[in-house]
Amino acid sequence: MFKNKFAWKLAGYFAAAILVFAVVLGVTFGHFFHNNTIDRTKRELLIRADKVAAILGDNYDRQQERGIAGMGFSGRRLISYVNTITMDDVWIADTQQNVEMRNHLPPGGEVELPADTFKIEMHTGPQGRDLPPVVTGVTSLGDLPGQTRDMIKAAFKGKSQVEESFDRRLREVMVEAAMPIFDKNGGIVGVLVLRTPMMGLRQSWESGLNIFLISSLTALILALLVAGVLSLKFTRPLNKIRETAKRLSDKDYTARSYVTQKDEIGELAVTVDGLAGRLQAADRESSKLDKLRRDFIANVSHELRTPVTVLRGSLEALRDKVVEKPEDVERYHDTMYKETLFLQRLINDLLDLSRLQNADFQIEKVPVNLCEVVQEAARSGRHLGHGKNIEVTYELDTQVYKLIGDFGRLNQMLLIFIDNAVKFSPEGGKIELLLKGRRLTVTDHGCGIKKEDLQYVFDRFYKTRVEKNKSGSGLGLAIAREIAERHGIILTMR
């Protein structure tokens, strides 16, 4: 894996995705956890403040009935009870803008008292149990923080509020609710402020953050291990495909990846292996064509060497006056003429074969009657066999056999067969053309072709080295095969 850069990249991407996911999850969770906790605390504190304010209002009415003037409802026992039960700081503001406070000590138990009017009280609860110490005292409304002061002023106007703030003395987020205290006539006789610190929120957040960091680190390590294994599994077939492509670039067309997967990588492997197969076939075909080209050049050179040598020798003999007798000169001229005819035929056959093998060379295909082609070829074949007194006949099982083709090329193909049949037929022989059904047969009664030579008869420059075939170029049957292929005709020789 250490040398597999792609696998490392995949593992890195996977780890980065996990890390981003963890960060986003942590930030999102922290945000919603904080807001949800604050909102829940606000709702609960507002409900407690409403209930406590109602109790304080009733207490105020009872004390008024007993003739107790002033803020009798702020009796120590009631405020202490509320402070102890709710664990909230309790502030009560009267209409003279005096605020009586009862606050819990901050963590550590040390606090700087805001004024001489404040003191620390120690209380004992039921059954002699010690209660947490509290700071008690009275201050003026103007000495309170701005937000709290505004909330109390709004409460004196009948509007209850709950807000969060940061207490610099406690270094803690506080949630405080201000609730008006009503008498039985609906008048506002004071304002209750309940304040609760969010120490649990910070502790919960710090604890959750530690757990989250440890979990994220553990998950990240496991994710890296899993990513490494998965990356190796993912890149292994890609490495095989890469090695296959490298071998193909080095012209090793036998290379195959042999990757079988039902996904995009499997499709890529099938494509590469298919390309390798086509390259291998093309290489074989290229080698075959190269051999054919070399053989072609050798055959052409061989076929040209003999007539050119004869022509040169004859011309030298005539130029140097080696031959002077008229009958010898005439014989030399006749030889030169025959060799020239052979050269002309060879060149024409080469041109015909070259044109027919060129895919861009178009032959003129029109609707033709094959019966007429056979009749025309038989008439021309009689002229070819006239010198050997060979009879050329034809037999048709129909007078119309329609096909799409080139009349001239089809006639040329049949004449090539007839010409070969004439060469190998004895004096006074017979050549028969038979069109029956979808088969056209050309039959002669000559010496035939050896069985081992049948597979080569349509190759270029292949010809039997016998006296009867010395004038052949070895291209006739190759031309016939090209014409047949252009017309979708299958040729067989037996």
Side-chain angles (χ1 to χ4, degrees), residues 417-476:
F417 292 135
I418 294 172
D419 181 57
N420 277 274
V422 169
K423 289 179 183 177
F424 294 96
S425 294
E427 290 281 344
K430 185 177 182 180
I431 299 174
E432 300 160 349
L433 280 70
L434 174 62
L435 177 60
K436 186 176 182 180
R438 298 175 59 85
R439 181 185 294 272
L440 173 61
T441 305
V442 180
T443 306
D444 66 58
H445 301 278
C447 59
I449 301 174
K450 295 180 181 179
K451 186 176 181 180
E452 59 270 20
D453 293 333
L454 286 175
Q455 58 181 325
Y456 304 112
V457 293
F458 292 110
D459 292 347
R460 289 176 295 183
F461 293 108
Y462 181 82
K463 60 181 181 179
T464 56
R465 300 299 175 179
V466 296
E467 182 67 20
K468 294 179 180 180
N469 199 28
K470 64 180 181 178
S471 63
S473 66
L475 297 174

Side-chain angles (χ1 to χ4, degrees), residues 1-5 8 232:
M1 178 178 174
F2 295 101
K3 295 182 179 180
N4 196 328
K5 296 180 180 179
W8 274 108
L232 284 177

Side-chain angles (χ1 to χ4, degrees), residues 191-209:
V191 172
L192 169 70
V193 177
L194 294 185
R195 302 173 76 247
T196 184
M198 298 301 296
M199 290 182 292
L201 173 64
R202 186 182 65 183
Q203 293 170 355
S204 299
W205 168 247
E206 291 176 352
S207 177
L209 180 61

Side-chain angles (χ1 to χ4, degrees), residues 399-426:
Q399 294 301 313
V400 179
Y401 189 100
K402 293 289 184 179
L403 58 82
I404 303 298
D406 187 318
F407 187 97
R409 292 295 179 181
L410 291 171
N411 184 63
Q412 180 186 8
M413 178 184 69
L414 290 180
L415 286 177
I416 290 172
F417 292 135
I418 294 172
D419 181 57
N420 277 274
V422 169
K423 289 179 183 177
F424 294 96
S425 294

